[in-house]
Amino acid sequence: MFARRIAVIGSGYVGLTTGACLASLGHRVVCADVDEAKVERLRRGVVDILEPGLPELVVENQAAGRLEFVLGARDAVAGRDGEPVEVVFLCVPTPMGEGGAADLTAVRAVATEIRQLLPAGCVVVNKSTVPVGTAEATRKLLKRRDIAVVSNPEFLREGSAVHDFLHPDRIVVGSDAQDAAERVAALYSRLGAPTVLTDAASAEMVKYAANCFLAMKLSYVNALAELCDVLGADVADVTEGMGHDRRIGQAFLQPGPGWGGSCLPKDTNALVQVAAAAGIELPLVTASIATNERQRHIVVDKIADAVGGDLAGKRLGLLGLTFKAGTDDLRDSPALAVARLLRDGGAELTAYDPGCPAAVPGVTDCVTVADEPLRAAKDADALVVLTEWPEFRSLDWGAVAGALAGRVVVDCRNLLDPDVLRRAGISWVGVGRR
């Protein structure tokens, strides 16, 4: 494999993981960001996001001279030591904009800024999740016939992003310039993963299609859990029976308080908007979004039932605020969405999350953030599990029982062992479980 000179624009979650992992594969990578303080921290090897293995990769590859950090996109594409950059990855935010469509402001701004600085023959890669047609729009915006644009969507799960990058299920590369697609695919050759080479529009569609399918699967299992509650079936047994079917599989069959995070909410809404613009309806996706919103209210009703039917004046301890375990990401967290509904119902909330050790102004204002789980449980009428952190299973449940005013745990993730709690004198309420 030939080592390439690579620029990564944007050193957030996707950009930093991409840059550090590409450097670990032997490429020379420069990562850029507009946040001067962040760039200085990264130069010192300080990684702000909670992602196993990422800080070590950053430090190791900086020491080896394969990874560096600069302020601003212009410096990143300028080249180093007289060697021009060969591939530029755009890893900038594409948040949900007005009406649910993806906001491509950052993509357009970076493309405009660097278009005259790119060396001839360079390849620009859209790594961010973008709507179908963005590669073509980027190519037109660059106004450079000597620059190819490639779509190379990421499939990184927060909490296992480094592992996912280095052990991918597949690599998808799309471009209307076949040679450019092959050059980008070659960057990953050491990984030995199945590679899908296609056109740019199809590559862009793959990411939305995959995430929306996963969202539909999660909404489906949450609807099944509600039905199991009514009919007296056990959703754990139901999903086990389903999951052994190779056509279905075990993944994404765990009920909970709804799905969230930085990807699924914006990607489902974006695909609906893209389809609407093309005159197509996607009722399965829109129903999944509605089911997800409803799930949060179902969970709140379950919690209210556990404390006597009325949340007003009740003190609740919450275990979990992040959208999933293994990350410190609070974006579109279903745990926080449930917390806000509980607060609106009049409950007083104290929460503990290993990934969120202190309050985040403007984000966690609906709760008091505790620094350890017993503080969340103290004098609570009920304890509510909202994020599936494995360490919650091994809490001292005898001590928790002693701290609680009402000895009931509402386990919205079906994470805990009901027998362990019962032996500690605590009533356990699950989702879709007998």
Side-chain angles (χ1 to χ4, degrees):
M1 183 200 77
F2 293 104
R4 298 295 187 185
R5 300 299 297 254
I6 298 171
V8 177
I9 311 303
S11 297
Y13 178 80
V14 172
L16 185 57
T17 303
T18 298
C21 288
L22 285 172
S24 75
L25 295 178
H27 302 294
R28 300 286 298 277
V29 182
V30 55
C31 290
D33 203 272
V34 295
D35 186 332
E36 184 175 2
K38 180 197 288 186
V39 170
E40 288 302 320
R41 289 193 298 272
L42 289 170
R43 287 171 174 168
R44 300 195 308 270
V46 178
V47 176
D48 294 330
I49 59 177
L50 179 61
E51 190 58 52
L54 187 55
E56 292 81 359
L57 275 188
V58 169
V59 171
E60 174 187 333
N61 285 286
Q62 282 194 99
R66 293 188 297 266
L67 179 65
E68 61 180 306
F69 297 94
V70 300
L71 181 64
R74 298 175 68 87
D75 197 11
V77 302
R80 290 291 184 274
D81 304 323
E83 296 184 36
V85 66
E86 299 171 88
V87 183
V88 178
F89 282 85
L90 304 185
C91 300
V92 294
T94 54
M96 190 188 309
E98 188 175 352
D103 184 348
L104 300 178
T105 301
V107 174
R108 289 191 287 264
V110 170
T112 302
E113 180 181 2
I114 66 175
R115 61 187 174 192
Q116 297 304 322
L117 301 173
L118 296 170
C122 178
V123 177
V124 172
V125 182
N126 273 328
K127 194 72 171 172
S128 305
T129 302
V130 292
V132 176
T134 302
E136 175 62 16
T138 303
R139 186 188 65 78
K140 291 179 179 178
L141 188 60
L142 290 173
K143 300 178 181 178
R144 294 278 301 272
R145 291 187 177 183
D146 58 337
I147 302 295
V149 178
V150 171
S151 175
N152 174 218
E154 52 85 15
F155 301 97
L156 306 177
R157 297 168 298 168
E158 293 192 40
S160 60
V162 171
H163 180 273
D164 291 347
F165 190 103
L166 298 176
H167 303 86
D169 294 325
R170 77 290 202 195
I171 293 166
V172 177
V173 183
S175 179
D176 298 333
Q178 183 72 12
D179 60 332
E182 291 174 353
R183 285 173 61 189
V184 172
L187 300 176
Y188 304 96
S189 61
R190 285 182 57 186
L191 301 179
T195 300
V196 179
L197 287 176
T198 183
D199 58 273
S202 297
E204 291 164 338
M205 187 68 178
V206 166
K207 179 61 183 290
Y208 283 113
N211 275 358
C212 289
F213 182 83
L214 296 176
M216 288 190 291
K217 197 172 181 182
L218 286 169
S219 285
Y220 178 62
V221 77
N222 280 332
L224 285 180
E226 181 186 9
L227 187 59
C228 286
D229 269 333
V230 173
L231 299 181
D234 192 316
V235 75
D237 294 341
V238 173
T239 54
E240 181 182 4
M242 292 169 59
H244 285 296
D245 188 326
R246 289 190 297 272
R247 298 168 300 174
I248 298 173
Q250 298 281 357
F252 283 72
L253 284 182
Q254 293 75 39
W259 40 267
S262 63
C263 293
L264 296 189
K266 75 180 184 69
D267 290 355
T268 48
N269 280 280
L271 187 61
V272 168
Q273 293 300 315
V274 167
I280 302 295
E281 293 184 357
L282 293 177
L284 287 176
V285 180
T286 54
S288 297
I289 296 170
T291 298
N292 191 52
E293 180 64 29
R294 182 170 177 269
Q295 181 66 13
R296 298 167 182 182
H297 292 271
I298 291 171
V299 165
V300 168
D301 289 343
K302 184 181 287 289
I303 296 167
D305 288 344
V307 294
D310 188 359
L311 292 169
K314 293 296 191 296
R315 176 177 170 79
L316 299 175
L318 309 182
L319 294 180
L321 290 173
T322 53
F323 91 94
K324 63 178 284 188
T327 178
D328 55 0
D329 198 342
L330 297 167
R331 289 175 292 178
D332 262 308
S333 169
L336 276 172
V338 169
R340 294 186 188 103
L341 291 173
L342 292 171
R343 179 204 57 188
D344 292 345
E348 177 188 347
L349 309 174
T350 303
Y352 168 76
D353 190 299
C356 181
V360 180
V363 179
T364 62
D365 297 346
C366 61
V367 303
T368 299
V369 177
D371 58 1
E372 57 99 13
L374 284 180
R375 292 185 184 275
K378 184 173 175 55
D379 299 327
D381 295 293
L383 194 61
V384 182
V385 178
L386 289 172
T387 309
E388 72 284 15
W389 288 93
E391 47 262 58
F392 292 159
R393 295 192 185 101
S394 57
L395 293 178
D396 182 343
W397 287 103
V400 172
L404 288 169
R407 294 193 172 186
V408 59
V409 168
V410 182
D411 186 356
C412 299
R413 295 283 187 171
N414 292 343
L415 176 72
L416 308 176
D417 185 335
D419 291 333
V420 171
L421 269 66
R422 277 193 283 269
R423 286 195 294 270
I426 299 173
S427 297
W428 178 87
V429 179
V431 177
R433 298 293 308 276
R434 284 195 302 270

